[in-house]
Amino acid sequence: MKAKRQAKILEIVSTQDVETQEQLLAALHEAGFYSTQATISRDIKELRIVKELTKFGTYRYAAASKEVTGTFSSRLNTIFRECTTHYDYAQNMVVIHTIPGLAAGAASAVDAMDMSFILGTIAGDDTVFIVMRDTNAAAAFCGEIKNILN
């Protein structure tokens, strides 16, 4: 039910100018979805719905653009660039050394890259261990790291 309600919310905000949660709640009721304002508020947060300025100077709900994710990824890339001190690979394993305390941030940046050849990451205090699908993937990933750092 939640997934259907949230899909309907996305449909409503993409096709109608909805300025308030009450208007969104009324539109959901018209569509046969009965919910509370608190539930709608949680859905808005989960769906990352934001208010955007219209050409008439009013605000309306809209699904967040992909730029939000891009901004998050660029921040992680910045963290990755600033904290990485050394990296290397052996066979299908990559090890990244960071400034003490920042390995988790570096591992999070690697995870956010969402590359299919990365099987997993483990972060300690100043070391990230990454298991790759094969040796070629590890070598290619180290090339990517070099590009990110330069």
Side-chain angles (χ1 to χ4, degrees):
M1 187 63 169
K2 177 180 178 179
K4 288 180 182 180
R5 182 184 65 245
Q6 288 185 344
K8 191 62 172 178
I9 289 171
L10 288 173
E11 178 186 322
I12 290 168
V13 299
S14 68
T15 59
Q16 301 175 28
D17 282 343
V18 178
E19 296 180 24
T20 65
Q21 289 183 10
E22 291 77 19
Q23 288 175 337
L24 181 57
L25 195 57
L28 281 171
H29 284 195
E30 286 177 24
F33 292 88
Y34 299 97
S35 189
T36 65
Q37 184 273 331
T39 300
I40 299 305
S41 182
R42 282 190 297 274
D43 288 339
I44 287 170
K45 286 181 184 175
E46 285 180 25
L47 295 170
R48 295 192 173 139
I49 292 175
V50 296
K51 283 202 170 186
E52 68 179 10
L53 187 62
T54 68
K55 61 184 176 183
F56 304 110
T58 59
Y59 288 91
R60 68 181 290 275
Y61 282 114
S65 65
K66 299 273 187 211
E67 294 173 25
V68 171
T69 303
T71 301
F72 181 66
S73 294
S74 69
R75 287 182 184 161
L76 284 175
N77 282 340
T78 300
I79 291 169
F80 187 83
R81 271 193 306 275
E82 297 297 322
C83 73
T84 300
T85 59
H86 179 72
Y87 61 93
D88 206 347
Y89 74 98
Q91 296 183 2
N92 70 324
M93 299 170 287
V94 176
V95 175
I96 300 171
H97 295 279
T98 69
I99 296 170
L102 295 178
S108 183
V110 170
D111 290 338
M113 291 176 190
D114 198 27
M115 297 178 168
S116 62
F117 53 81
I118 297 175
L119 299 180
T121 61
I122 299 174
D125 182 55
D126 62 355
T127 306
V128 179
F129 177 75
I130 306 167
V131 177
M132 309 299 285
R133 194 161 299 285
D134 55 36
T135 302
N136 292 336
F141 184 67
C142 281
E144 286 293 317
I145 293 173
K146 184 177 181 179
N147 290 336
I148 290 170
L149 297 180
N150 292 334

